[in-house]
Amino acid sequence: MTAKVLETWVNGEYIFSAPELAGRWGVNRKTVNKMLNNGRLNGIKVGQGKTQPNWGVPESEILRVEQDRLIMCRNIVRRWSAEAQATA
């Protein structure tokens, strides 16, 4: 099954569908929907599916989350490096 593409632009910014974002991040669409439903990811309700809303996520929000993840990963690597040097 192929992901349904949401060809939407808002204020010159591309809006990703949940399946598109799931593909970009290599996660299940349900994971993206959970992040949207619990507020960890900000999105726009763009319609109603059979059981839940269809979401759109602005590219700027995706970049914000990816940047936060990158910073978190860098901090973990720094901590591990410091711990490895302390035990060496």
Side-chain angles (χ1 to χ4, degrees), residues 30-47:
K30 290 179 182 181
T31 302
V32 173
N33 283 333
K34 283 180 187 177
M35 291 177 72
L36 287 159
N37 288 325
N38 69 20
R40 289 178 33 211
L41 181 64
N42 296 317
I44 303 165
K45 291 182 183 177
V46 293

Side-chain angles (χ1 to χ4, degrees), residues 53-87:
N54 291 326
W55 290 94
V57 183
E59 188 172 19
S60 60
E61 175 66 6
I62 294 167
L63 296 174
R64 181 194 66 80
V65 170
E66 290 173 347
Q67 182 66 28
D68 288 348
R69 288 277 185 181
L70 180 61
I71 291 169
M72 183 175 61
C73 289
R74 285 182 183 159
N75 290 338
I76 290 170
V77 169
R78 284 186 188 128
R79 188 178 71 232
W80 285 347
S81 296
E83 289 172 2
Q85 289 176 355
T87 58

